[in-house]
Amino acid sequence: MKHSRKITGIGVATVAALALAGCSAGGGEEAAELDSVEIMAPYLVTNAPEDGNDLEVAIEEEIGVDLDITWVPNSSYGDKVNITLAGDDLPHVMVIQGKDPGFVRNAEAGAFWDLTDYLGDYPNLDTTFPEVQQASSVNGKVYGIFRARDVMREAVIIRKDWLQNLGLEMPTTTEELREVATAFTEDDPDGNGQDDTYGIIVPKWPGTIGTNSPWDAIETWYGAGNRWTERDGELVPNFTTDEWLEAVQFERELVEDGVVNPDFATFDSANWNEPFLNGKGGIILDVHSRAGVLMSLFKESDPEDFQDYVDVTGNLVGPDGELHALPTTGYSGFLAVPKAKVRTEAELRAVLEVLNDLNSEEVGPMLNNGIEGETYTLEGDLAVAVDDAPQTLKDTVMSFAQLGMNVTGFQGYLPKQPSEYEQEMYDKRKAIEASDLESAEFDPSAPYVSPTYVSKGAQLDTIVSDARIQYIAGQLDLAGLQDAVELWRSSGGDQVITEINELAGADS
């Protein structure tokens, strides 16, 4: 089925705007009439949704507008975005997957609408996560409606049976983490009489500083901030702070004491679960969803007693007695509106009305769960997956989820877990998320795009991150680590600091 595509002409829209000016919440033009909206979006499954599929039809019936979606394989989506922006056939809405230099240049050159002053007029687009919206902005200007992801995911995942065997409690502070990790290393937590266990499992991390590694989590807990932090009215990288130096000293001591796997600098992250499952290591610092994965794996190997192996807590209190929780960026790209297609404010408002409807409590469950009775059923307020739903329909739901914004909270139903214990643990994780969110340390530099960092960031990032690993491993002394920070500064880092603060000052 091919949907019609019709938007009122510019002249008609202008006449309507003159007649109705000042009636909208923001005092601007009223929306033009819009029969269809063209969208470009990626798909991550094998095949793109078929045009006119049941889910698309159900959504169109709810919002009263046809959707004409160009689906692009995720592997080639970035290239397709660049090609589309260089041409003259743009959609009304484009999924943009991140603030890469190309998007930033196009946005600041006027290729996309600045939505900063418009979103407050639409209740489903007026976010309840202002820190995330600010982080997704470009130097304080909102060029797209962000696609929300869990803001708080950091967790401490622990072998529950080892805690019980040693009569220990879940750690609540970084010092208690050290104590539990030491006991797991030295006190035979599995009771086999062998010196064959250690505390914390850390893999080789593919990202640099500020990419939510276990080391990043500890450094944030120590009060060093999240990538950047504010000191004496200035934004600075966290690795320039005393708290960061204290944290990496703590990390080095964990390695020196043998409570971290000795191959942490080379251990493949694809095998991160294995030592935990095999009884070699007892603690993982990672996203809370890994706890669910581990429980499922234990359920496969020991279905009778799988509930005995995994427990979880959230972010830990640091040495200053405060909780500095490490959040994610809270978003994965955004939906942007190209000016080459949407030429007037009236047309923009028509598009925003459609996006507002797509983020409603009626349509949200369609994007996040699919079609009730076909892909899921409800038990209370929880979604139960229909196992025999056609795979093509399941794949279609996964693709349409790429259009989900959820900027006012998750617009859908959370999944019902397979057993009472798994539901209990899932609810516990959600409660930890909500509690830790109150102490989230957001990256204050996230909105700002430093020209020097754009050109030199790849080289700058490795200077301190490599030195950190060498220091933690005992291959570099404190003076060498501090020299690396100074090298970062002299190689362009000081210019980055200057630019970030100038941009932040202009945005205040």
Side-chain angles (χ1 to χ4, degrees):
M1 172 181 171
K2 192 68 177 177
H3 301 295
S4 63
R5 299 187 299 277
K6 176 173 174 284
I7 187 167
T8 54
I10 295 174
V12 175
T14 303
V15 170
L18 291 172
L20 299 170
C23 297
S24 70
E29 296 183 0
E30 286 292 324
E33 295 180 8
L34 183 62
D35 293 333
S36 70
V37 61
E38 299 172 31
I39 302 174
M40 191 173 86
Y43 66 92
L44 284 67
V45 292
T46 303
N47 297 306
E50 294 182 359
D51 190 33
N53 62 77
D54 290 348
L55 179 58
E56 181 178 310
V57 170
I59 293 172
E60 289 171 341
E61 289 177 352
E62 185 64 44
I63 66 176
V65 174
D66 284 351
L67 298 176
D68 185 3
I69 305 176
T70 298
W71 296 103
V72 181
N74 188 62
S75 59
S76 58
Y77 191 75
D79 292 337
K80 180 64 173 177
V81 168
N82 292 332
I83 293 169
T84 301
L85 288 175
D88 55 7
D89 185 18
L90 277 77
H92 297 105
V93 177
M94 298 176 71
V95 172
I96 301 295
Q97 294 181 306
K99 289 193 291 185
D100 60 73
F103 172 74
V104 171
R105 284 194 299 270
N106 277 287
E108 294 195 317
F112 295 97
W113 279 91
D114 177 359
L115 306 178
T116 309
D117 296 329
Y118 290 94
L119 298 182
D121 294 347
Y122 302 90
N124 300 329
L125 303 180
D126 188 13
T127 184
T128 53
F129 304 107
E131 298 91 349
V132 177
Q133 180 163 288
Q134 177 71 357
S136 72
S137 73
V138 176
N139 298 327
K141 295 184 177 181
V142 179
Y143 289 106
I145 302 161
F146 69 87
R147 301 187 301 169
R149 298 295 183 265
D150 288 341
V151 176
M152 193 56 61
R153 303 182 68 197
E154 193 62 38
V156 181
I157 305 163
I158 295 192
R159 283 286 300 236
K160 180 180 179 181
D161 54 333
W162 287 14
L163 284 175
Q164 293 176 341
N165 290 345
L166 299 179
L168 299 173
E169 300 292 330
M170 289 287 287
T172 59
T173 69
T174 52
E175 193 54 41
E176 289 175 2
L177 174 69
R178 186 208 300 259
E179 293 168 3
V180 171
T182 300
F184 281 4
T185 305
E186 299 177 353
D187 297 345
D188 191 22
D190 57 1
N192 69 353
Q194 304 293 318
D195 183 16
D196 59 355
T197 60
Y198 55 87
I200 306 174
I201 310 163
V202 179
K204 178 182 180 181
W205 198 256
T208 55
I209 288 175
T211 55
N212 290 52
S213 72
W215 308 126
D216 293 323
I218 292 172
E219 290 150 19
T220 298
W221 297 341
Y222 258 67
N226 174 13
R227 289 192 73 242
W228 286 60
T229 187
E230 184 176 340
R231 293 291 187 272
D232 299 323
E234 182 183 43
L235 298 185
V236 296
N238 66 347
F239 53 77
T240 64
T241 68
D242 292 340
E243 292 89 346
W244 187 82
L245 287 176
E246 292 170 8
V248 293
Q249 176 62 36
F250 173 80
E251 293 161 350
R252 180 179 172 124
E253 291 169 1
L254 293 177
V255 171
E256 290 175 339
D257 293 343
V259 305
V260 174
N261 53 300
D263 61 345
F264 72 89
T266 58
F267 179 55
D268 189 347
S269 60
N271 300 320
W272 202 351
N273 292 336
E274 298 309 313
F276 194 98
L277 295 169
N278 297 334
K280 297 299 181 185
I283 304 170
I284 290 177
L285 310 182
D286 192 32
V287 296
H288 60 77
S289 58
R290 187 175 292 275
V293 172
L294 288 164
M295 275 190 291
S296 296
L297 293 170
F298 276 117
K299 189 175 183 180
E300 292 176 8
S301 61
D302 189 1
E304 294 297 321
D305 298 311
F306 75 95
Q307 68 273 11
D308 295 338
Y309 297 103
V310 182
D311 206 348
V312 63
T313 189
N315 289 266
L316 301 180
V317 172
D320 63 357
E322 300 292 331
L323 179 62
H324 306 279
L326 175 63
T328 69
T329 59
Y331 73 99
S332 177
F334 26 81
L335 276 64
V337 182
K339 283 188 173 180
K341 179 70 173 184
V342 181
R343 297 179 180 273
T344 68
E345 182 181 344
E347 292 175 348
L348 172 64
R349 289 192 175 279
V351 171
L352 291 177
E353 284 185 359
V354 172
L355 295 179
N356 184 70
D357 289 342
L358 284 175
N359 200 47
S360 67
E361 61 182 14
E362 293 79 18
V363 178
M366 298 182 194
L367 296 178
N368 290 303
N369 304 104
I371 302 174
E372 185 175 0
E374 296 187 37
T375 58
Y376 75 98
T377 58
L378 280 178
E379 288 189 17
D381 58 356
L382 297 175
V384 180
V386 175
D387 292 333
D388 58 357
Q391 189 60 46
T392 54
L393 182 54
K394 294 179 182 178
D395 288 349
T396 295
V397 175
M398 291 183 66
S399 296
F400 271 82
Q402 295 295 310
L403 306 181
M405 292 159 277
N406 299 293
V407 296
T408 58
F410 181 66
Q411 296 290 349
Y413 302 106
L414 296 175
K416 181 177 175 61
Q417 302 304 302
S419 69
E420 184 176 342
Y421 176 74
E422 287 165 286
Q423 187 66 53
E424 176 186 325
M425 289 298 293
Y426 184 84
D427 293 343
K428 178 180 180 179
R429 285 159 41 201
K430 287 296 180 184
I432 289 170
E433 285 181 60
S435 177
D436 281 1
L437 184 58
E438 298 176 6
S439 302
E441 295 272 347
F442 289 96
D443 175 7
S445 75
Y448 309 116
V449 182
S450 153
T452 298
Y453 186 79
V454 169
S455 62
K456 295 184 176 181
Q459 294 78 29
L460 287 172
D461 282 346
T462 60
I463 294 173
V464 181
S465 61
D466 288 352
R468 175 178 66 174
I469 292 300
Q470 292 168 359
Y471 178 74
I472 292 171
Q475 300 168 357
L476 196 67
D477 61 13
L478 180 59
L481 179 62
Q482 292 172 323
D483 286 345
V485 174
E486 290 305 312
L487 177 61
W488 181 89
R489 286 182 174 278
S490 63
S491 300
D494 276 341
Q495 184 61 29
V496 172
I497 293 175
T498 298
E499 292 168 357
I500 290 291
N501 280 278
E502 287 176 349
L503 290 165
D507 186 36
S508 61

